[in-house]
């Protein structure tokens, strides 16, 4: 059994989609949702599925003596960032090498980096007159949006598309592809002795 922790900061549509996707999976289970915000609606979504939730401050997330015991208590093997707005501390990226993934709402390296999230990305894509956009699913490193790319999926844009239209198109890609890619990565990790030994 591979146990997932999902880190969230906001609404949680991807979080809920991932929980639903793995709900009946015998090999992969979402065991924990961690948020840095008490008002994140993702916590309400997770609670509907009886997934335990924990709220930690930025300082607590960056404190190895606080967060590691929690992850260990739930035997977390894999971490998914689903709209999580904080950088992951180096001790976590080292501990979970190639076992932390993030989704970004653009085709990296375009429109990535500090301050580029959510509607800010879609506004930048619209302002640049891009003919396509998409999502990037990547491993997490200590560089913002700089980890190794796992998969990208694109969608065509029209000059008439509003920022809201762009967001909706990206959301469709997120809902369709993110859980499946997580499953594929976990399957590859499980079958790779070198990765398993890094736990």
């Amino acid at each position: 059994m591979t146990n997932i922790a999902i880190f969230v900061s906001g609404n949680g549509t991807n979080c809920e989609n991932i929980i639903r996707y793995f709900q009946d999976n015998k090999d992969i289970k979402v065991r924990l949702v961690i948020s840095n915000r008490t008002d994140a609606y993702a916590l309400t979504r997770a609670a509907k599925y009886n997934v335990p939730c924990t709220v930690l401050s930025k300082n607590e997330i960056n404190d190895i003596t606080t967060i590691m015991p929690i992850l260990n208590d739930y035997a977390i093997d894999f971490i998914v960032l689903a709209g999580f707005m904080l950088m992951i501390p180096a001790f976590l990226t080292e501990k979970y090498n190639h076992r932390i993934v993030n989704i970004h709402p653009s085709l990296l390296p375009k429109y990535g980096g500090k301050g580029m999230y959510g509607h800010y990305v879609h506004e930048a894509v619209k302002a640049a007159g891009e003919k396509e956009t998409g999502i990037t699913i990547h491993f997490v490193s200590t560089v913002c949006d700089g980890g190794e790319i796992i998969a990208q999926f694109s969608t065509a844009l029209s000059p008439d598309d509003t920022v809201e239209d762009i967001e909706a198109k990206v959301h469709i890609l997120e809902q369709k592809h993110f859980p499946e890619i997580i499953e594929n990565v976990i399957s590859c990790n499980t079958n790779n002795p070198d990765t398993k030994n890094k736990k």
Side-chain angles (χ1 to χ4, degrees), residues 1 21 32 60 86-87 93 100-101 114 117 139 160 195:
M1 173 67 72
Y21 185 87
L32 179 66
E60 288 172 326
L86 300 179
M87 288 292 293
T93 59
I100 309 179
V101 298
K114 187 175 181 180
Y117 60 89
F139 289 114
D160 296 328
T195 306

Side-chain angles (χ1 to χ4, degrees), residues 1-20:
M1 173 67 72
T2 297
N3 295 319
I4 295 175
I6 304 177
F7 285 31
V8 295
S9 295
N11 190 38
T13 52
N14 278 317
C15 176
E16 183 172 0
N17 190 39
I18 294 163
I19 292 170
R20 280 202 313 263

Side-chain angles (χ1 to χ4, degrees), residues 17-26 28-30 48-50:
N17 190 39
I18 294 163
I19 292 170
R20 280 202 313 263
Y21 185 87
F22 290 113
Q23 201 169 18
D24 299 317
N25 192 301
K26 294 178 181 178
I28 302 170
K29 182 178 180 66
V30 177
K48 287 193 304 182
Y49 299 91
N50 298 313

